[in-house]
Amino acid sequence: MARHERLSTLLDLLAKREKLDVEEVAAELNVSAATIRRDLDHLAEQQLLTRTHGGAVANDLAYDLPLRYKTARHAPEKQRISAAAAALVSNGMVIGLNGGTTTAGVARALAMRADLADAPGLTIVTNALNIAHELAVRPNMKIVVTGGVARPQSFELSGPLATLVLSQLSLDLLFLGVDALHPAAGAFACHEGEADINRLMVNNAARVVAVADSSKLGRRAFARICDITDVHEVVTDSDADPDVTAALKAAGIPVQIA
Protein backbone atom coordinates (compact mmCIF):
# COMPACT_ATOMS: atom_id res chain seq x y z
CA MET A 1 0.00 0.00 0.00
CA ALA A 2 1.41 3.38 -1.03
CA ARG A 3 1.82 5.99 1.68
CA HIS A 4 -0.92 8.32 0.39
CA GLU A 5 -3.32 5.36 0.34
CA ARG A 6 -2.31 4.42 3.89
CA LEU A 7 -2.84 7.98 5.12
CA SER A 8 -6.27 8.07 3.53
CA THR A 9 -7.12 4.70 5.10
CA LEU A 10 -6.01 5.92 8.54
CA LEU A 11 -8.26 8.95 8.27
CA ASP A 12 -11.18 6.79 7.13
CA LEU A 13 -10.68 4.44 10.07
CA LEU A 14 -10.43 7.35 12.46
CA ALA A 15 -13.65 8.87 11.16
CA LYS A 16 -15.44 5.57 11.82
CA ARG A 17 -13.87 4.70 15.18
CA GLU A 18 -12.95 8.14 16.64
CA LYS A 19 -9.72 6.69 18.04
CA LEU A 20 -6.93 4.45 16.79
CA ASP A 21 -4.43 2.17 18.50
CA VAL A 22 -1.02 2.00 16.83
CA GLU A 23 -0.47 -1.73 17.37
CA GLU A 24 -3.97 -2.70 16.22
CA VAL A 25 -3.83 -0.58 13.07
CA ALA A 26 -0.33 -1.79 12.24
CA ALA A 27 -1.60 -5.38 12.34
CA GLU A 28 -4.66 -4.50 10.21
CA LEU A 29 -2.60 -2.79 7.54
CA ASN A 30 0.29 -5.28 7.73
CA VAL A 31 2.94 -2.64 8.37
CA SER A 32 5.22 -1.91 11.31
CA ALA A 33 4.09 0.05 14.34
CA ALA A 34 6.90 2.53 13.63
CA THR A 35 5.41 3.23 10.20
CA ILE A 36 1.98 3.91 11.70
CA ARG A 37 3.51 6.21 14.33
CA ARG A 38 5.24 8.22 11.61
CA ASP A 39 2.00 8.42 9.62
CA LEU A 40 0.00 9.58 12.63
CA ASP A 41 2.67 12.16 13.49
CA HIS A 42 2.48 13.46 9.91
CA LEU A 43 -1.32 13.76 10.05
CA ALA A 44 -1.13 15.42 13.47
CA GLU A 45 1.26 18.04 12.08
CA GLN A 46 -1.43 18.94 9.56
CA GLN A 47 -4.03 19.12 12.35
CA LEU A 48 -6.08 16.25 10.92
CA LEU A 49 -6.01 14.32 14.19
CA THR A 50 -4.69 14.52 17.75
CA ARG A 51 -1.92 12.18 18.85
CA THR A 52 -2.35 10.28 22.10
CA HIS A 53 -0.14 7.84 23.97
CA GLY A 54 -0.20 4.75 21.77
CA GLY A 55 -2.48 6.11 19.09
CA ALA A 56 -4.66 9.03 17.96
CA VAL A 57 -8.13 10.50 18.37
CA ALA A 58 -10.30 12.36 15.91
CA ASN A 59 -10.72 16.09 15.82
CA ASP A 60 -13.19 18.19 13.86
CA LEU A 61 -10.93 18.60 10.83
CA ALA A 62 -10.60 14.87 10.27
CA TYR A 63 -13.99 14.69 8.60
CA ASP A 64 -13.20 17.11 5.77
CA LEU A 65 -10.11 15.59 4.23
CA PRO A 66 -7.67 17.57 2.10
CA LEU A 67 -7.96 16.77 -1.59
CA ARG A 68 -4.59 15.01 -1.70
CA TYR A 69 -5.89 12.35 0.71
CA LYS A 70 -9.13 11.82 -1.19
CA THR A 71 -7.58 10.97 -4.55
CA ALA A 72 -7.02 7.29 -3.78
CA ARG A 73 -10.56 6.66 -2.55
CA HIS A 74 -12.84 4.91 -5.08
CA ALA A 75 -10.28 5.72 -7.81
CA PRO A 76 -11.45 3.17 -10.44
CA GLU A 77 -15.07 4.22 -9.98
CA LYS A 78 -14.18 7.90 -10.31
CA GLN A 79 -12.27 7.23 -13.52
CA ARG A 80 -15.29 5.54 -15.07
CA ILE A 81 -17.60 8.33 -13.89
CA SER A 82 -15.24 10.96 -15.30
CA ALA A 83 -15.06 9.29 -18.71
CA ALA A 84 -18.84 8.92 -18.91
CA ALA A 85 -19.35 12.55 -17.90
CA ALA A 86 -16.80 13.87 -20.39
CA ALA A 87 -18.66 12.04 -23.18
CA LEU A 88 -21.62 14.40 -22.61
CA VAL A 89 -19.61 17.41 -23.81
CA SER A 90 -19.75 18.86 -27.32
CA ASN A 91 -17.21 21.18 -28.91
CA GLY A 92 -17.82 24.88 -28.34
CA MET A 93 -19.56 24.45 -24.98
CA VAL A 94 -18.98 26.55 -21.86
CA ILE A 95 -18.33 23.97 -19.13
CA GLY A 96 -18.40 24.61 -15.39
CA LEU A 97 -16.31 22.51 -13.00
CA ASN A 98 -16.34 23.01 -9.25
CA GLY A 99 -13.69 21.47 -7.03
CA GLY A 100 -13.25 17.82 -6.11
CA THR A 101 -11.46 14.67 -7.16
CA THR A 102 -14.23 13.53 -9.50
CA THR A 103 -14.52 16.87 -11.30
CA ALA A 104 -10.73 16.92 -11.60
CA GLY A 105 -11.07 13.55 -13.28
CA VAL A 106 -13.66 14.98 -15.65
CA ALA A 107 -11.19 17.74 -16.53
CA ARG A 108 -8.52 15.15 -17.37
CA ALA A 109 -10.99 13.13 -19.44
CA LEU A 110 -11.92 16.25 -21.41
CA ALA A 111 -8.25 17.00 -22.04
CA MET A 112 -7.81 13.49 -23.48
CA ARG A 113 -10.63 13.83 -26.04
CA ALA A 114 -8.88 14.35 -29.36
CA ASP A 115 -12.11 15.45 -31.05
CA LEU A 116 -12.23 18.54 -28.82
CA ALA A 117 -8.85 19.75 -30.05
CA ASP A 118 -10.34 21.48 -33.08
CA ALA A 119 -11.86 24.96 -33.11
CA PRO A 120 -13.88 26.36 -31.46
CA GLY A 121 -12.71 24.30 -28.48
CA LEU A 122 -14.09 24.56 -24.97
CA THR A 123 -14.41 27.29 -22.40
CA ILE A 124 -13.84 25.94 -18.90
CA VAL A 125 -15.06 27.96 -15.91
CA THR A 126 -13.77 26.72 -12.58
CA ASN A 127 -13.19 27.82 -9.01
CA ALA A 128 -10.70 24.99 -8.47
CA LEU A 129 -7.03 25.95 -8.63
CA ASN A 130 -5.83 22.41 -9.35
CA ILE A 131 -8.19 22.05 -12.32
CA ALA A 132 -7.18 25.43 -13.75
CA HIS A 133 -3.50 24.55 -13.35
CA GLU A 134 -3.93 21.20 -15.09
CA LEU A 135 -5.88 22.57 -18.06
CA ALA A 136 -4.03 25.86 -18.56
CA VAL A 137 -1.53 24.25 -20.94
CA ARG A 138 -4.28 23.04 -23.28
CA PRO A 139 -4.35 25.41 -26.29
CA ASN A 140 -7.86 24.31 -27.30
CA MET A 141 -9.35 25.31 -23.95
CA LYS A 142 -10.10 28.79 -22.68
CA ILE A 143 -9.74 28.68 -18.90
CA VAL A 144 -11.70 31.13 -16.76
CA VAL A 145 -10.87 31.14 -13.03
CA THR A 146 -13.32 32.74 -10.66
CA GLY A 147 -10.93 34.39 -8.25
CA GLY A 148 -11.58 34.36 -4.53
CA VAL A 149 -9.94 32.98 -1.41
CA ALA A 150 -8.39 29.51 -1.69
CA ARG A 151 -9.34 26.80 0.78
CA PRO A 152 -6.38 24.41 1.35
CA GLN A 153 -8.52 21.32 1.90
CA SER A 154 -10.10 21.42 -1.55
CA PHE A 155 -8.16 24.03 -3.58
CA GLU A 156 -11.51 25.74 -4.21
CA LEU A 157 -11.87 29.52 -4.41
CA SER A 158 -14.79 31.11 -2.61
CA GLY A 159 -15.94 34.43 -1.19
CA PRO A 160 -17.13 37.74 -2.67
CA LEU A 161 -14.59 37.81 -5.52
CA ALA A 162 -15.69 34.40 -6.77
CA THR A 163 -19.33 35.47 -6.47
CA LEU A 164 -18.66 38.65 -8.45
CA VAL A 165 -17.12 36.78 -11.38
CA LEU A 166 -19.64 33.95 -11.49
CA SER A 167 -22.60 36.32 -11.38
CA GLN A 168 -21.51 37.62 -14.81
CA LEU A 169 -21.17 34.23 -16.49
CA SER A 170 -23.48 31.68 -18.09
CA LEU A 171 -22.68 27.97 -18.36
CA ASP A 172 -23.95 25.46 -20.90
CA LEU A 173 -23.15 22.49 -18.68
CA LEU A 174 -22.01 22.22 -15.07
CA PHE A 175 -20.35 19.11 -13.72
CA LEU A 176 -21.15 19.33 -10.03
CA GLY A 177 -18.95 17.50 -7.57
CA VAL A 178 -20.65 16.90 -4.22
CA ASP A 179 -19.84 15.59 -0.77
CA ALA A 180 -23.31 14.05 -0.53
CA LEU A 181 -26.37 13.62 -2.74
CA HIS A 182 -29.76 12.74 -1.28
CA PRO A 183 -32.76 11.95 -3.51
CA ALA A 184 -35.09 14.05 -1.34
CA ALA A 185 -32.84 16.62 0.34
CA GLY A 186 -30.58 17.56 -2.57
CA ALA A 187 -26.85 18.10 -3.12
CA PHE A 188 -24.47 18.96 -0.30
CA ALA A 189 -20.96 20.20 0.45
CA CYS A 190 -19.05 19.99 3.73
CA HIS A 191 -18.15 23.70 3.73
CA GLU A 192 -20.71 26.50 3.62
CA GLY A 193 -18.52 28.84 1.55
CA GLU A 194 -18.03 26.22 -1.15
CA ALA A 195 -21.75 25.43 -1.08
CA ASP A 196 -22.54 29.11 -1.78
CA ILE A 197 -20.27 29.21 -4.84
CA ASN A 198 -21.49 25.85 -6.08
CA ARG A 199 -25.08 27.05 -5.73
CA LEU A 200 -24.34 30.09 -7.88
CA MET A 201 -22.77 27.84 -10.53
CA VAL A 202 -25.91 25.67 -10.48
CA ASN A 203 -28.13 28.73 -10.88
CA ASN A 204 -26.12 29.96 -13.88
CA ALA A 205 -25.99 26.62 -15.72
CA ALA A 206 -28.42 25.50 -18.39
CA ARG A 207 -27.78 21.88 -17.43
CA VAL A 208 -26.38 20.39 -14.20
CA VAL A 209 -24.84 16.91 -14.08
CA ALA A 210 -23.89 15.67 -10.62
CA VAL A 211 -20.84 13.40 -10.68
CA ALA A 212 -20.71 11.32 -7.51
CA ASP A 213 -19.36 7.89 -6.63
CA SER A 214 -21.73 5.53 -4.85
CA SER A 215 -20.39 6.37 -1.38
CA LYS A 216 -21.86 9.87 -1.72
CA LEU A 217 -25.40 8.78 -2.62
CA GLY A 218 -28.22 8.72 -0.09
CA ARG A 219 -26.27 10.92 2.31
CA ARG A 220 -26.41 14.49 3.59
CA ALA A 221 -23.56 16.81 4.56
CA PHE A 222 -23.31 20.10 6.43
CA ALA A 223 -24.21 22.69 3.78
CA ARG A 224 -26.85 22.26 1.09
CA ILE A 225 -25.92 23.32 -2.43
CA CYS A 226 -29.27 22.97 -4.16
CA ASP A 227 -32.55 21.09 -4.37
CA ILE A 228 -32.47 17.72 -6.08
CA THR A 229 -34.78 19.18 -8.74
CA ASP A 230 -31.95 21.53 -9.78
CA VAL A 231 -29.91 18.49 -10.87
CA HIS A 232 -30.70 17.26 -14.39
CA GLU A 233 -28.67 14.04 -14.40
CA VAL A 234 -26.50 11.95 -12.07
CA VAL A 235 -23.46 9.95 -13.16
CA THR A 236 -22.37 7.37 -10.60
CA ASP A 237 -20.87 3.86 -10.41
CA SER A 238 -22.23 0.33 -10.37
CA ASP A 239 -22.08 0.05 -6.56
CA ALA A 240 -24.82 2.65 -6.17
CA ASP A 241 -27.67 1.64 -3.86
CA PRO A 242 -30.57 0.55 -6.10
CA ASP A 243 -33.07 2.14 -3.73
CA VAL A 244 -31.32 5.50 -4.03
CA THR A 245 -31.05 5.37 -7.80
CA ALA A 246 -34.71 4.34 -8.00
CA ALA A 247 -35.66 7.32 -5.84
CA LEU A 248 -33.68 9.65 -8.10
CA LYS A 249 -35.36 8.26 -11.20
CA ALA A 250 -38.76 8.59 -9.51
CA ALA A 251 -37.94 12.27 -9.01
CA GLY A 252 -37.42 12.54 -12.79
CA ILE A 253 -33.62 12.57 -12.67
CA PRO A 254 -31.83 10.21 -15.12
CA VAL A 255 -29.05 8.15 -13.56
CA GLN A 256 -26.14 6.97 -15.67
CA ILE A 257 -24.17 4.05 -14.23
CA ALA A 258 -20.54 4.11 -15.29
Side-chain angles (χ1 to χ4, degrees), residues 105-120:
V106 174
R108 294 185 198 102
L110 289 173
M112 295 296 292
R113 277 188 53 182
D115 60 312
L116 298 178
D118 299 327

Side-chain angles (χ1 to χ4, degrees), residues 27-112:
E28 281 186 61
L29 302 185
N30 197 29
V31 296
S32 69
T35 295
I36 296 299
R37 290 190 191 96
R38 287 193 295 270
D39 288 345
L40 294 179
D41 288 342
H42 174 74
L43 294 171
E45 288 172 2
Q46 301 193 41
Q47 300 181 341
L48 292 169
L49 52 77
T50 300
R51 285 286 271 124
T52 62
H53 180 69
V57 295
N59 58 28
D60 291 341
L61 291 178
Y63 297 97
D64 188 10
L65 310 185
L67 192 70
R68 59 186 176 278
Y69 295 130
K70 293 181 179 179
T71 53
R73 302 166 71 183
H74 309 285
E77 294 86 349
K78 289 178 180 179
Q79 289 177 353
R80 296 198 302 271
I81 292 167
S82 298
L88 301 175
V89 173
S90 300
N91 218 346
M93 279 185 164
V94 178
I95 303 298
L97 293 167
N98 68 330
T101 54
T102 309
T103 49
V106 174
R108 294 185 198 102
L110 289 173
M112 295 296 292

Side-chain angles (χ1 to χ4, degrees), residues 93-97 107 110 122-126 131 135 141-145 171:
M93 279 185 164
V94 178
I95 303 298
L97 293 167
L110 289 173
L122 299 177
T123 297
I124 304 293
V125 178
T126 186
I131 291 175
L135 296 183
M141 294 184 180
K142 177 181 179 180
I143 311 302
V144 179
V145 184
L171 310 173

Side-chain angles (χ1 to χ4, degrees), residues 150-161:
R151 187 163 178 264
Q153 282 85 350
S154 63
F155 306 146
E156 283 194 74
L157 300 166
S158 61
L161 291 174

